[in-house]
Amino acid sequence: MIICPSIMPTDMESALQELAKLSTTRDLVELRTDRIRNLDLENLLLAERPALILTNRLADEGGYFSGSYTEQAEILSEAASFGAEYIDAEFRLGKKLLSKLPKHRLIVSYHNFKNVPADLTRIYARMRTLAPTVIKIAVTARSLHDNITVFNLLDLARGQRQKIIAHCMGERGEISRILGGRFGAFLAFAAMNQSSHTAPGQVTVDLMENVYHANMIDRNTRIFGLIGNPVSQSRGIFFHNEFFRKRRVCAAYINFLVDNIASFFKEYREIIRGASVTMPFKHSIIPLLDIVDEPAARIGSVNTIVKQRGKWEGHNTDYPALLKILKERSSLKGKRVVIHGTGAMARTMAFGMLQEGAVSFITGRSQAKAKKIADEFGCTFLPPRDCVNVDADIVMNATPVGMIGLPQDRIFPPSFYKRTMIVFDVVNRPEMTPFLSTARESGCTVIAGSELFMEQAKLQSKLFLRSLS
């Protein structure tokens, strides 16, 4: 699949400069002309440039052109006459105007900025009667299910040997852009950088080519990813895709922004080979699996799934990673440990401390949930205000407090921290949270969440690799 940068300059000078720069680095570029003031197609297309898809969009097509359909068609026809390799014309221009455009250069497009229409296959069939070189369909995903509709359409077009560009727009459609090559997409559009997106949900060229290696993804590529909500802050795409690249494994790891875990697993279990699992699905995914290893079952938390010999297995790599990190710094037997949190990671910590003979105290905003974990793992429940009375050796935050984009609340007062403490935060972005900063200022040994992420990710990568053997 070709990765095609999309640019939308606002004047002739910047357009000529951008195209000249891209002429030595890109084979194909989409040029949006609908914002260019004083558009001079002859000057533009006869200048130094890469091969182009020339596009001009009306305002109600997500563009900026204020003219009529006829004027739009005239611009595209003129572009073809000056040598544009492809011209992208909207299906809504109608058969009369579209029939006047050269078919050997024609991409016929359909955009829907609201949803994925139920009759998408019929729309595709109608577009195909025009015999364009390429059909382009861009619809808006409201759920991950909508991507399945697009994948099925890509499969249909591949069977008919029809060149097609098809993807979902929006955050939940990002995966369709990355995985298009798996299902036969001709190309995927990409943004030159984070501030120059020309469509909702567009991924940058750098991510597409240097992280996901989307230009190399094909029907033989095994798919892994992160299942969660939210997923945008995760560093997994960088770690696991680099792991696959270094080992020359034909696999890709992407983020799945999931709303309903049961629906996702039903629809994607034949597409993915394994996945990391994050909040809020570490517990709710368990009933969907065939096998769950003993620590994950005891904790009630799965953070890694893999398909092995036709069966879906669940594992918890947070547990061994957590113990490895802590035991490198201190013995745990008899240590007094304060755990702040009531979710899956807090349960993992409580179970680990129980196994190692530590004395644990559980606290959190929900006293009922904290008490439940304390009762289950033989810990002591404490309201947050009473934790300052514990002469703790180890203090761990198992909540998202301090994560980028979330409130930067203080977990414990500065007077709580002592130089002899080990203070551990599961949050890995930012590297140094307010929780850790306060502890470090008090002379504590601090452990950033990035260390836990790396240790558990190494274990995950081994499970992913094993599933491919």
Side-chain angles (χ1 to χ4, degrees):
M1 179 175 71
I2 299 167
I3 306 303
C4 179
S6 181
I7 62 172
M8 188 163 50
T10 58
D11 56 63
M12 282 295 296
E13 183 179 358
S14 61
L16 290 167
Q17 289 175 351
E18 284 191 73
L19 291 177
K21 190 191 315 181
L22 291 168
S23 66
T24 59
T25 59
R26 309 304 308 187
D27 295 325
L28 184 64
V29 172
E30 181 191 42
L31 173 64
R32 287 275 301 271
T33 62
D34 39 289
R35 291 187 71 184
I36 298 178
R37 297 185 297 273
N38 302 316
L39 179 63
D40 180 348
L41 286 170
E42 181 176 14
N43 188 24
L44 198 63
L45 290 164
L46 296 181
E48 182 183 12
R49 62 175 180 82
L52 290 178
I53 298 173
L54 192 133
T55 307
N56 184 284
R57 301 226 177 280
L58 291 164
D60 59 355
E61 298 166 351
Y64 297 87
F65 184 63
S66 58
S68 66
Y69 285 177
T70 300
E71 290 171 319
Q72 190 181 37
E74 287 173 353
I75 289 172
L76 296 174
S77 180
E78 185 181 3
S81 70
F82 286 125
E85 284 72 19
Y86 295 98
I87 51 172
D88 185 338
E90 283 289 325
F91 183 46
R92 64 192 295 182
L93 286 181
K95 189 173 183 179
K96 183 177 179 180
L97 288 175
L98 289 171
S99 64
K100 296 178 180 179
L101 300 175
K103 286 185 173 56
H104 68 288
R105 298 180 186 271
L106 184 59
I107 298 173
V108 173
S109 294
Y110 169 81
H111 288 78
N112 187 316
F113 292 94
K114 294 181 178 179
N115 55 30
V116 177
D119 61 343
L120 189 62
T121 302
R122 186 169 64 85
I123 292 169
Y124 158 78
R126 287 169 54 205
M127 295 171 73
R128 197 161 181 250
T129 63
L130 299 170
T133 298
V134 183
I135 287 174
K136 176 187 171 185
I137 291 178
V139 288
T140 300
R142 298 302 178 190
S143 70
L144 286 187
H145 166 77
D146 290 331
N147 295 280
I148 297 293
T149 302
V150 167
F151 294 154
N152 290 339
L153 182 64
L154 286 169
D155 265 336
L156 173 65
R158 176 162 55 189
Q160 296 174 338
R161 297 187 178 181
Q162 170 66 59
K163 279 187 178 180
I164 186 170
I165 305 161
H167 58 259
C168 287
M169 297 180 286
E171 187 178 9
R172 284 169 175 76
E174 185 178 288
I175 66 169
S176 67
R177 297 177 183 273
I178 300 164
L179 294 181
R182 169 80 180 272
F183 302 94
F186 171 53
L187 62 78
F189 296 104
M192 289 302 299
N193 53 59
Q194 287 286 1
S195 61
S196 64
H197 297 82
T198 60
Q202 209 170 66
V203 184
T204 65
V205 171
D206 181 58
L207 279 175
M208 289 287 275
E209 293 184 340
N210 300 323
V211 176
Y212 296 117
H213 307 288
N215 51 317
M216 305 297 291
I217 292 176
D218 59 24
R219 63 201 314 172
N220 298 314
T221 304
R222 277 71 60 90
I223 306 302
F224 296 84
L226 173 66
I227 299 169
N229 193 337
V231 292
S232 61
Q233 295 290 336
S234 173
R235 300 167 60 191
I237 57 171
F238 303 102
F239 179 90
H240 291 293
N241 283 305
E242 182 65 8
F243 175 86
F244 293 142
R245 187 192 67 79
K246 285 183 176 179
R247 286 155 185 78
R248 298 184 179 181
V249 175
C250 184
Y253 182 100
I254 65 176
N255 290 334
F256 294 98
L257 181 60
V258 174
D259 297 304
N260 183 297
I261 186 61
S263 297
F264 169 82
F265 199 63
K266 179 181 179 181
E267 294 183 325
Y268 283 82
R269 60 182 295 147
E270 298 305 321
I271 293 176
I272 62 172
R273 191 62 178 262
S276 313
V277 184
T278 189
M279 60 181 183
F281 303 120
K282 289 186 175 183
H283 177 71
S284 56
I285 198 170
I286 291 176
L288 306 175
L289 305 174
D290 302 303
I291 303 166
V292 178
D293 70 18
E294 185 176 351
R298 179 71 177 85
I299 296 166
S301 174
V302 162
N303 81 326
T304 311
I305 61 171
V306 289
K307 190 174 186 179
Q308 194 75 33
R309 295 180 292 277
K311 301 285 187 181
W312 278 98
E313 299 178 357
H315 302 269
N316 187 313
T317 63
D318 287 329
Y319 166 65
L322 173 74
L323 293 185
K324 179 178 183 293
I325 291 168
L326 289 174
K327 290 166 78 172
E328 285 175 348
R329 290 165 170 87
S330 172
S331 63
L332 299 176
K333 187 174 179 62
K335 292 295 191 297
R336 294 176 299 278
V337 181
V338 172
I339 300 170
H340 177 253
T342 58
M345 184 56 73
R347 293 178 61 83
T348 301
M349 291 173 171
F351 178 71
M353 297 307 98
L354 174 67
Q355 297 300 103
E356 295 298 321
V359 179
S360 297
F361 302 85
I362 305 291
T363 188
R365 286 190 304 173
S366 171
Q367 294 194 17
K369 290 180 180 179
K371 285 178 180 176
K372 184 178 179 181
I373 295 175
D375 291 343
E376 187 172 349
F377 295 106
C379 308
T380 299
F381 161 72
L382 284 178
R385 65 180 179 275
D386 293 342
C387 290
V388 295
N389 299 320
V390 178
D391 185 16
D393 301 299
I394 300 171
V395 183
M396 296 191 283
N397 172 43
T399 76
V401 172
M403 183 184 293
I404 292 174
L406 293 181
Q408 305 294 298
D409 298 336
R410 176 187 292 172
I411 297 176
F412 299 112
S415 59
F416 171 66
Y417 302 96
K418 299 176 179 62
R419 294 181 63 85
T420 55
M421 284 181 179
I422 295 173
V423 179
F424 188 1
D425 199 341
V426 298
V427 174
N428 64 72
R429 292 187 67 186
E431 181 85 7
M432 191 57 53
T433 61
F435 174 61
L436 291 183
S437 295
T438 304
R440 186 168 63 177
E441 289 167 5
S442 300
C444 303
T445 298
V446 299
I447 305 172
S450 56
E451 188 170 344
L452 176 64
F453 167 78
M454 290 298 293
E455 287 297 333
Q456 66 82 27
K458 290 175 187 176
L459 297 173
Q460 282 184 335
S461 64
K462 291 178 182 178
L463 289 169
F464 292 160
L465 203 58
R466 192 190 76 185
S467 74
L468 298 176
S469 61

